[in-house]
Structure formats: C-alpha cells, structure tokens
Amino acid sequence: MTRPPRTRPTLEEVAARAGVGRGTASRVINGGEKVSERARLAVEQAIAELGYVPNAAARALVTRRTDAVALVIAESEERVFGEPFFAGVIRGIGSALAQADRQLILLLAQASQRRGALDDYLTRQHVDGVLLLSLHDDDELPDRIRAHGVPVVVGGRRGDAREDFVDVDNVQGAELAVAHLAGIGRRHIATIAGPSDMVAGRSRFEGYVAGLVAADLPVDDRLVVRGDFGQGSGEKSMRTLLGRGVDVDAVFCANDLMAAGALRALSDAGRRVPEDVAVVGFEDAPIAMSTNPPLTTVHQSPEKMGREMVAMLLDSTRTPGVAQPGRMLSTHLVVRGST
Amino acid sequence: MTRPPRTRPTLEEVAARAGVGRGTASRVINGGEKVSERARLAVEQAIAELGYVPNAAARALVTRRTDAVALVIAESEERVFGEPFFAGVIRGIGSALAQADRQLILLLAQASQRRGALDDYLTRQHVDGVLLLSLHDDDELPDRIRAHGVPVVVGGRRGDAREDFVDVDNVQGAELAVAHLAGIGRRHIATIAGPSDMVAGRSRFEGYVAGLVAADLPVDDRLVVRGDFGQGSGEKSMRTLLGRGVDVDAVFCANDLMAAGALRALSDAGRRVPEDVAVVGFEDAPIAMSTNPPLTTVHQSPEKMGREMVAMLLDSTRTPGVAQPGRMLSTHLVVRGST
DNA sequence: GTACGAAGTGGGAACGCTCCCATACGCCAC
DNA sequence: GTGGCGTATGGGAGCGTTCCCACTTCGTAC
C-alpha cells in the first residue's frame, strides 16, 4: 500500500546532465524538430548513461493517449486456445497494430474475474481503443465502454448491431456452399447448423436456406439438425440425420469441426464421400486439409478480419464520434475431395 | 497527434457536485476511513450522476503502481494456441491475479513486433511486474526488465538461472516414468527426447538417464532419438528407432504429442502397445486420454505453475530486491493403457 | 546600421490524481 | 468556561511529462 521509493531517473535529471532545458530533452526523445545536433547528442548520451526510460503514466496524463489497444476475448480459455480462428485473428491484429506502432494488450474475459474489473480497466484510459471478439449476442460490454468515450470495434457482428463491426459474410458463404452442391447435381441437401444464439450459427443457416431457394430446391425440416460447433456434435448430428430415413446426398456443415465429425459418422455408416454424400464445411480451418477425404469448405480469413478491425479502430480514434459502417468480408469456396 | 479534448469528469468536479473537498472525494473512492456517512453518500451519488471513472494515468503517476501484471509469452501464436500447456498456465495465472485484484495483461512477443517495443512497454511502468513464459534459453528479456527495477518471474527455468523462476521438476518426472517402465519388467527402454535448446527437452533427457542408472540399466545411444515436441516428429522418431534394428520394449517420450505420434508409428509397424512396446508420455495433455490405447504419462499441472508464478511475483513486489529461491513443482505418474 | 524572420532554447503551466498537514468541530472531563 | 483529544475535512504540494509561449541568437536583406 505504501508508495515505493523512486529510483528511476526523470527527464529533468537527463536534461540537467546534458546541460540543456527540460523542453529540449523532451524534443529529442519525441523525435522533435528544431534541435541542434549538439543538444541532441548530449541528451542521447545522458539518456544512455542514466538508463532513462520515459514514464508512461506522466506522458499519458498529458497527452491523453497510451498508444495501446486492448483486444478483449469474451470466451473461455478452452475455446480461445482450441479454435484456430482466434489465433488467426490475433495474428492479423498483432501485425496491423505493430505496423501502426501500437501495443496489443490481450484481455481474456474470464469467469474468474471480478465483475466490473474488466470494465474498470477499459474505461480508465489504459488503452486508446478496444477490439472485442465475441461470438455471442448478449454482451453489453461494447455499449458500456463506448459510453465512456472509448472507441470500440466488434469482430463478429452482434444481433442488432448498428455499431462498428467487422464480420465474415456468413450468409454469402453458406449460399456459395449450397450453390456448389446444387451445381454438382445434389438435390437432397441437408445442413448441420450452428447454435442459434451465435450470429455465425444463425446467418450460415440463413444462407443455407437462401441457397436452396436460389437453386429451386425445397426447404425440408427433416434435413436440418442443430449442433454446437464441436466435432462430437457433428458426428452425433450426422447420425441423427441418417437415422431419419430421408434421402440425403449432401450436407452443408456450419463449420469444419462439425464437418469432420460428420465425415466420421458417414464412414462408420458405410456411406461413401463424396459418391453417396457430399460434404461441405465452413472456415477452412487447418483440420479441413487433414480429414479423409480432404474437406471442401468455405474459406474465410481470420487474419484479414483482424487487420480490418484494427484499421476501423484506428480510423475511429482519428475521427471520434463518427460511427463507421460495418464491414462484411467476403468468402470463397475451396473445393477438395469431399464434393 | 493532437491532444483529444477532455470530456470526462474529474475528481474535482465530482467533489464540487457533492459539495465536499477533493480529499474527501478521493477517500470515498479508495474505500477510505474517516468519512462521514453523509459525505460518502453525496460523493457516491455525484459519481453515479457524472459517470465518473478515475484516470489511471494520474493515479499511477502518484502511487507508482498500476495494479496490472504482464504475462509475456515468447512463442509463436502457433505454439501458444496449439499447446494446451499455455492455456493451463494462463488459467492459473488469471485466477490467481483476479484473487489479488490485479489485471492480467497478455503480451505475445511476436516476430512482427518492432524490436524494442516490448521492452519499452514493460519498462515504462505500465505494469507492476512481469511474468515470462518462454521455453527457450537464449532470451535476455528478463535481465533487461529487471535492470529497470521491474520484478520478473520466469516460468520454465532458463539454463543458468539464479533468477526467480517456477518450473516443473522435469528430471524427477522423467525418472518416475523410467522407474515405472523398469518396474514392469522392461529392459530396453528407448527415449524420444525433446530439443536440446529447451530446458524441458534437456532435463527430461537427464531424468531418463538418471532413471536408467537407478534401475541398473545401460545407457545406449542407439535407443535415443531427438524430436521437436511435434506429433509428426514423434512418429518419425519412432520409425527411426524401429529402423535401427535394436531391441526396444519401451519408449519414454518427452511429451504427449510425440508419444501420440509414436503410437501411430508403432501401430503402422504392427507392434502391439503395450504388449510389445510400452509407451510413456509427459505432460498429461488432453490428447493423452484420446490416444489408442490411452497414454500413460507424467502429470504436470500448468495451472499450479501459473498460480505459483503469481504468488512469487506478488511476493517480490512486496519485498523488492530480495530474490526468491526458484520453485520446482513435483509431478506424478498417471498409468493408463499404454504400459 | 537597422529591421526582420527563422531556428533553437528554457521553463511555466497544466494534466488528474494521492498524500499529508493544518484546521475545524464536536465532545467529555475538569 | 477551559483544555484536550479524536474525528472529519479542505486543499496545497507534488508526481513526470508535454505543450506552448516568450526569449535569445544569428543570418540576411535593406
């Protein structure tokens, strides 16, 4: 609780040692103009000798900027570290921020965390902006943060959102998948959909329906099962589908993990892929290359999503208050052995 | 570059609205003693009305504390997100810090990062302390940070380290594994070791040798292969081992992923596990439960490691300058189907 | 020789908070 | 009434920066 003693040199000390004023020393540090070569060298030497490092708090206090950006991931560690999607987004965000000379701060919104601690951190101007990655709808965090004047960009659109967001165009991607299946002559196209409380789940299903309509195929409830994006649930859903006794010659799965599960269930049931049943996934995750047969899937780029989020955030720190239109990232189909 | 306009209420404004002095308002916010009920209520109401949030920079400037701790992971995203070990450590760290009311800040030391940006961030008193998770030896980051008076705890001991660290007792764990194999009558115990530039690799090998010696078995170079901790390398190493034409009735693998690869190679080669060859892994990662047969392995607890790191760091912020002795976490063997 | 602009410099003020000291206000004992 | 003590309170000082203005110096044009 007590205040630790100061040991670190201050700018004033640097200036004194260099025989210049505080202002000049500051100018040297901030790459300033209008400093004589002589003064610059003296200051640089003093900095090196004293091991001076600027105090971020003092600087932030006056500049009102920290040059740091928070990425908040509102998912369990299990998911964060299990799904390659997150690694991709983080890579994209990291490289874009590094280019802009901003520090990335990763915050995991954990259950263990005291309620409100995260809000506090984000609103106390520790960071210049917040990137939020959550795949669920019910979070009010972005609104609470915005209320304090901190810019926020959400990755993965929320249900109603008029807010700044970047998302993959799930509807278009799913349409693409269904159009492909219809294009190779399939007429009984089933789907293993994602959870309906997640945007990705809902809109990929929406795209599936739109795709059927576009191909002049009927929408049949018996061809729809809902999973939870896990591999096990894909396997189980596929079994359910087969157990219903309806014709199925193709399945569109809302993500690759469920598609991998479906492939396993099909193989167990003695159905050949793609001859008897064609399978399409969504994401183009690493697993899509290592299934048997390799998975045809809708390619999305998490890295690009990350970079877009950063671009949007930096934009809105430059022009505060001006809401950006949300951005949808298009997808394309990667055809492999499963269709 | 320009300074954004101030819009947020300050403590002074809160105090004015509540009809009290700045000091009293500050006392209320910091849970202070010696405040009358009347003043407390007035201040709390003013805070709510104005939506006041304390400015972290101003506070840090005077208290010299930020109540935030950085966790630096000096690995590629690929590894960080691929190995469940990291998720476990982060979970442990996160919960321990939450209990201590500290914010966890995750920094990934990426290649994309400007050289020095990380150092700058860590030394500019953004954080009260640094937890470093790196499995390689060659990093001087901890020394550089310590030189600026910021406490550091390293997870996974470095080669020479006299510094504060927490590590799993790899030697003891490997000895345990070998003793177990010897105990069930195996006499030709091979090892698929880890890379020699990583402590875990070296010391698990060291433990392997010690285990052989303790069991009165000869150490035979032809029974040693080095992998890189990846599943593919485990498979390849096992093939190498089998190809050498020496008797092998057991394999100790330096981690579970390589053990999983080894199991696959053994199955491909028509060797039965555990009848022909017994296999032991290290880590007790999730994959150990899902191999065929389930893997006997040395259990370590990444969560515990995380919690220990936090405890040590908080200790050294309380008593600065006093180096803590490093802590070794013991392991135990989990026997499953592969032995 | 004077006037003027550009270049370089020093240092006051301010950022928003916590710490701490001086003061005010009871209340009780004498 | 006076003295003394504990409890609340207000506000000055200071944390280490950046910003900006006023000042000096020097070179150039007249």
Side-chain angles (χ1 to χ4, degrees):
Chain A
M1 276 284 99
T2 57
R3 169 191 330 206
R6 183 178 65 78
T7 71
R8 306 160 51 112
T10 71
L11 185 58
E12 197 95 35
E13 287 165 36
V14 169
R17 185 177 192 106
V20 301
R22 195 176 2 91
T24 302
S26 175
R27 255 163 258 147
V28 170
I29 288 163
N30 297 302
E33 312 293 297
K34 312 203 175 191
V35 180
S36 66
E37 200 58 22
R38 205 180 119 284
R40 176 187 314 283
L41 289 173
V43 171
E44 278 166 358
Q45 187 182 343
I47 288 175
E49 286 171 7
L50 294 174
Y52 170 78
V53 179
N55 181 313
R59 175 179 283 175
L61 182 56
V62 35
T63 60
R64 302 173 194 290
R65 314 191 330 134
T66 60
D67 290 330
V69 169
L71 168 59
V72 178
I73 305 187
E75 298 281 338
S76 67
E77 285 101 353
E78 216 169 55
R79 285 184 73 93
V80 175
F81 289 91
E83 297 186 16
F85 171 77
F86 289 105
V89 178
I90 292 175
R91 192 171 323 125
I93 290 176
S95 72
L97 283 179
Q99 267 176 38
D101 250 316
R102 300 288 202 290
Q103 180 66 46
L104 169 61
I105 295 180
L106 213 57
L107 301 174
L108 300 183
Q110 308 177 64
S112 58
Q113 186 117 177
R114 176 172 66 78
R115 171 78 187 152
L118 186 66
D119 285 45
D120 283 358
Y121 185 84
L122 295 175
T123 53
R124 288 175 183 203
Q125 345 213 173
H126 277 117
V127 295
D128 296 340
V130 177
L131 299 168
L132 185 66
L133 218 50
S134 169
L135 308 177
H136 296 278
D137 292 343
D138 48 0
D139 208 338
E140 295 176 352
L141 187 62
D143 297 325
R144 289 201 302 271
I145 301 170
R146 274 201 199 90
H148 289 277
V150 179
V152 181
V153 170
V154 177
R157 199 177 22 140
R158 298 198 307 153
D160 57 341
R162 320 159 304 292
E163 67 202 341
D164 298 354
F165 70 87
V166 177
D167 199 4
V168 169
D169 196 336
N170 289 300
V171 176
Q172 176 246 355
E175 283 187 50
L176 232 46
V178 174
H180 169 67
L181 290 170
I184 58 172
R186 307 299 164 134
R187 288 295 168 264
H188 306 281
I189 305 176
T191 190
I192 300 178
S196 56
D197 68 329
M198 295 170 74
V199 189
R202 275 203 311 279
S203 36
R204 287 173 196 174
F205 179 69
E206 195 184 313
Y208 160 76
V209 173
L212 288 182
V213 170
D216 251 340
L217 293 172
V219 179
D220 184 343
D221 271 359
R222 293 169 306 170
L223 292 179
V224 176
V225 199
R226 239 169 236 295
D228 68 1
F229 281 152
Q231 181 157 2
S233 107
E235 196 171 336
K236 196 168 142 244
S237 301
M238 191 68 233
R239 275 194 236 289
T240 306
L241 224 37
L242 293 175
R244 284 185 184 164
V246 255
D247 278 355
V248 174
D249 58 11
V251 186
F252 164 62
C253 304
N255 75 343
D256 289 348
L257 225 46
M258 293 200 298
L263 286 179
R264 174 176 293 243
L266 284 167
S267 139
D268 287 356
R271 308 288 183 106
R272 291 168 306 161
V273 175
E275 294 82 355
D276 301 335
V277 181
V279 177
V280 179
F282 202 117
E283 270 187 21
D284 199 11
I287 195 180
M289 321 256 301
S290 61
T291 55
N292 181 18
L295 193 63
T296 293
T297 187
V298 178
H299 176 87
Q300 66 178 11
S301 169
E303 281 200 53
K304 191 171 171 191
M305 177 164 169
R307 280 196 301 272
E308 283 297 331
M309 288 174 70
V310 170
M312 191 172 281
L313 186 71
L314 294 183
D315 262 9
S316 71
T317 56
R318 273 188 286 267
T319 54
V322 183
Q324 315 275 323
R327 271 217 57 181
M328 287 296 218
L329 302 179
S330 66
T331 60
H332 63 263
L333 198 72
V334 178
V335 180
R336 299 204 181 89
S338 69
T339 60
Chain B
M1 277 287 100
T2 58
R3 171 193 324 208
R6 184 177 65 78
T7 72
R8 306 161 52 113
T10 70
L11 184 59
E12 196 96 34
E13 287 165 37
V14 169
R17 183 175 194 112
V20 302
R22 201 182 348 99
T24 303
S26 174
R27 256 163 257 146
V28 171
I29 288 163
N30 298 303
E33 312 295 296
K34 310 204 174 188
V35 179
S36 67
E37 199 58 21
R38 205 180 118 284
R40 176 188 312 285
L41 289 173
V43 171
E44 278 166 358
Q45 188 182 344
I47 288 175
E49 285 171 7
L50 294 174
Y52 171 77
V53 179
N55 180 314
R59 177 179 284 174
L61 182 55
V62 34
T63 60
R64 300 170 196 289
R65 314 191 328 137
T66 61
D67 290 330
V69 169
L71 168 60
V72 178
I73 306 187
E75 297 282 338
S76 66
E77 285 102 351
E78 215 169 55
R79 286 184 72 94
V80 175
F81 288 91
E83 297 185 15
F85 171 78
F86 289 106
V89 178
I90 292 175
R91 191 171 325 126
I93 290 176
S95 73
L97 284 179
Q99 267 176 38
D101 249 316
R102 300 288 201 290
Q103 180 66 47
L104 169 62
I105 295 179
L106 212 57
L107 302 174
L108 301 184
Q110 309 177 61
S112 58
Q113 187 118 179
R114 176 172 65 78
R115 172 78 188 153
L118 186 67
D119 285 45
D120 284 358
Y121 185 85
L122 294 174
T123 52
R124 287 175 182 203
Q125 346 214 175
H126 277 117
V127 294
D128 296 340
V130 177
L131 299 168
L132 184 67
L133 217 49
S134 170
L135 309 177
H136 296 277
D137 293 342
D138 49 0
D139 208 337
E140 296 177 350
L141 188 62
D143 296 325
R144 289 201 301 272
I145 301 170
R146 273 201 200 90
H148 288 277
V150 179
V152 181
V153 169
V154 177
R157 200 176 21 141
R158 299 197 304 152
D160 57 341
R162 321 159 304 291
E163 68 201 340
D164 299 356
F165 70 87
V166 177
D167 198 4
V168 169
D169 196 334
N170 289 299
V171 176
Q172 176 245 354
E175 282 186 52
L176 233 46
V178 174
H180 169 67
L181 290 170
I184 58 173
R186 307 298 163 134
R187 289 294 168 264
H188 306 282
I189 305 176
T191 189
I192 300 178
S196 57
D197 69 329
M198 297 170 72
V199 188
R202 275 204 311 280
S203 36
R204 287 173 197 173
F205 179 70
E206 195 184 313
Y208 160 78
V209 173
L212 288 181
V213 171
D216 251 340
L217 293 172
V219 180
D220 184 343
D221 271 359
R222 293 169 305 168
L223 293 178
V224 176
V225 198
R226 241 171 236 293
D228 67 2
F229 280 152
Q231 181 157 3
S233 108
E235 196 172 336
K236 196 169 141 245
S237 301
M238 192 67 234
R239 275 194 236 290
T240 305
L241 225 35
L242 294 175
R244 284 185 184 163
V246 254
D247 278 355
V248 175
D249 57 12
V251 186
F252 164 62
C253 304
N255 74 344
D256 289 348
L257 224 46
M258 293 201 297
L263 286 178
R264 175 177 292 246
L266 285 167
S267 141
D268 286 357
R271 309 289 184 105
R272 292 168 306 162
V273 176
E275 293 82 356
D276 301 334
V277 182
V279 177
V280 179
F282 202 116
E283 269 187 24
D284 200 10
I287 195 180
M289 321 256 301
S290 61
T291 54
N292 181 17
L295 192 63
T296 293
T297 186
V298 178
H299 176 87
Q300 65 177 13
S301 169
E303 281 200 54
K304 191 171 172 191
M305 177 164 168
R307 280 196 300 273
E308 283 297 332
M309 287 173 70
V310 170
M312 192 173 281
L313 186 71
L314 294 182
D315 263 9
S316 71
T317 56
R318 274 188 286 266
T319 53
V322 183
Q324 316 274 323
R327 270 217 57 181
M328 287 295 218
L329 304 179
S330 66
T331 60
H332 62 263
L333 198 72
V334 179
V335 179
R336 299 205 180 88
S338 69
T339 60

